[in-house]
Amino acid sequence: MTTSLQQYILQHWHDFDDLLRFKTIAAQNIGIQETSDWIVNQFKQLGADRVEKWQDQGGNPVIFANFTGHNDKTVLFYNHYDTQPAEPLDQWDTKPFEPTVKDDVLYARGADDDKGELIFRLTLLKYYREHGGLPLNIKFYVEGEEEIGSSHVVKYTNAHKSDLQADAVIWEGGAKNAQGQIAITGGLRGISCVELSVATANADLHSSKASYAESAPWRLTKALASLRDDTTGRILIDGIYDDVDELSSTEQELIANLNFDPEKVAKAEGLTRPLLTKTPKRDLSNEPAINIE
């Protein structure tokens, strides 16, 4: 990034920081229409050739925008405009929906996931609009249900395949590894959520009845413990490994060269137990995982 571009972004990202002031909580159905309308207007003001709010597949609106650049190549950016709730509010040192910069760090709900990324992409669009135009074609796909599982994304993607054609897709944001290096992620695992509940009586029982009445928490604990072999770490759910492809030699080489220091990772993550696997780079890249919330 050139110095002039850095300076421009530092000066102009505030032009779009109103996005952080919207309380946009998909799980609570708050702020969806106001936020999506604001994004549509920003794309229009930045000179998009086409801006549409898709609502034909149900769920929260998806915003599509297309910009023409000086090249026949096209990059599609994915973002989402919904955020997690800000509660518990008493754990905030700043107002969650008022962007605040302290020691060169931006604080606000969604500043990291994912409104902040969209703000800086909007700022970049403005920069190129004022400096000769975009170097290539740009498309945006901005949804409003990521924090509740993106249940309509597949439907919208399938329904609008022709609109979404691109030479490359750049996801919502990025990250740095434990060494502070910028990481480029080439793929992500999917997720499936299951809720388990157990009832062993039709009324509340006093704890003394545990002498003869089976406890629902104990039964649930046994069920959860049966999902993974605690010795090998292998998941015991039938079929979960069926779709795991063997890694090619090229993929194995790429994974072997990943910068992953177990000690630094454990320190950065605050781990107090040893790593579950002796091959964390491979498992993180290509193995299923199971988590209990």
Side-chain angles (χ1 to χ4, degrees):
M1 185 183 296
T2 63
T3 301
S4 61
L5 178 53
Q6 287 178 322
Q7 292 173 344
Y8 183 93
I9 290 176
L10 290 173
Q11 292 170 359
H12 288 276
W13 72 268
H14 293 288
D15 299 344
F16 304 100
D17 65 2
D18 278 346
L19 179 58
L20 294 166
R21 296 186 172 92
F22 289 103
K23 187 176 182 180
T24 318
I25 314 297
Q28 300 168 352
N29 196 28
I30 296 175
I32 299 300
Q33 293 303 323
E34 299 90 335
T35 308
S36 57
D37 286 343
W38 184 90
I39 296 171
V40 167
N41 289 332
Q42 298 307 309
F43 282 138
K44 288 180 178 179
Q45 293 176 23
L46 288 167
D49 301 299
R50 178 181 163 205
V51 183
E52 295 178 356
K53 184 188 282 192
W54 294 339
Q55 297 179 276
D56 54 294
Q57 303 299 311
N60 293 340
V62 171
I63 302 152
F64 173 80
N66 183 47
F67 296 81
T68 301
H70 300 308
N71 194 301
D72 61 355
K73 299 296 183 181
T74 300
V75 170
L76 171 66
F77 287 102
Y78 164 88
N79 285 95
H80 64 90
Y81 57 85
D82 63 314
T83 71
Q84 288 283 345
E87 289 81 5
L89 299 179
D90 60 357
Q91 294 189 20
W92 284 79
D93 295 325
T94 62
K95 294 180 180 180
F97 296 100
E98 180 57 41
T100 305
V101 177
K102 296 172 62 177
D103 298 324
D104 292 329
V105 177
L106 171 62
Y107 295 91
R109 171 53 86 224
D112 183 59
D113 183 14
D114 173 46
K115 290 180 176 180
E117 283 83 352
L118 181 55
I119 285 173
F120 284 94
R121 289 172 180 178
L122 293 173
T123 308
L124 196 61
L125 287 175
K126 184 173 182 178
Y127 172 86
Y128 279 113
R129 182 173 171 80
E130 297 175 3
H131 293 80
L134 290 162
L136 74 173
N137 304 319
I138 299 293
K139 293 180 179 180
F140 278 87
Y141 181 105
V142 189
E143 61 138 327
E145 295 183 330
E146 197 274 346
E147 299 294 359
I148 55 173
S150 298
S151 59
H152 289 83
V153 160
V154 173
K155 293 180 180 179
Y156 278 102
T157 302
N158 289 335
H160 297 274
K161 283 183 179 179
S162 60
D163 297 314
L164 299 173
Q165 293 300 309
D167 297 287
V169 178
I170 298 180
W171 208 240
E172 56 182 329
K176 293 182 179 180
N177 61 21
Q179 284 71 38
Q181 298 170 316
I182 294 175
I184 298 175
T185 303
L188 297 170
R189 296 175 293 186
I191 185 170
S192 179
C193 299
V194 178
E195 183 174 313
L196 301 182
S197 62
V198 173
T200 57
N202 293 322
D204 289 339
L205 300 179
H206 190 275
S207 59
S208 65
K209 306 296 177 63
S211 297
Y212 59 80
E214 184 174 21
S215 161
W218 275 114
R219 188 169 177 80
L220 180 59
T221 299
K222 291 179 181 179
L224 296 174
S226 73
L227 299 176
R228 195 188 76 184
D229 186 319
D230 202 34
T231 303
T232 65
R234 189 168 180 83
I235 301 169
L236 301 177
I237 298 173
D238 290 343
I240 196 168
Y241 292 97
D242 290 353
D243 295 329
V244 179
D245 296 329
E246 291 293 328
L247 293 168
S248 68
S249 58
T250 301
E251 290 169 334
Q252 292 179 37
E253 184 178 350
L254 287 170
I255 290 172
N257 290 328
L258 286 176
N259 197 336
F260 187 98
D261 186 319
E263 292 185 3
K264 289 184 177 180
V265 169
K267 183 178 180 180
E269 300 286 351
L271 303 183
T272 58
R273 295 279 298 161
L275 298 187
L276 284 174
T277 172
K278 297 184 182 300
T279 55
K281 292 192 289 187
R282 186 205 67 187
D283 293 357
L284 187 61
S285 301
N286 200 53
E287 292 290 311
I290 188 167
N291 182 51
I292 299 172
E293 292 191 2

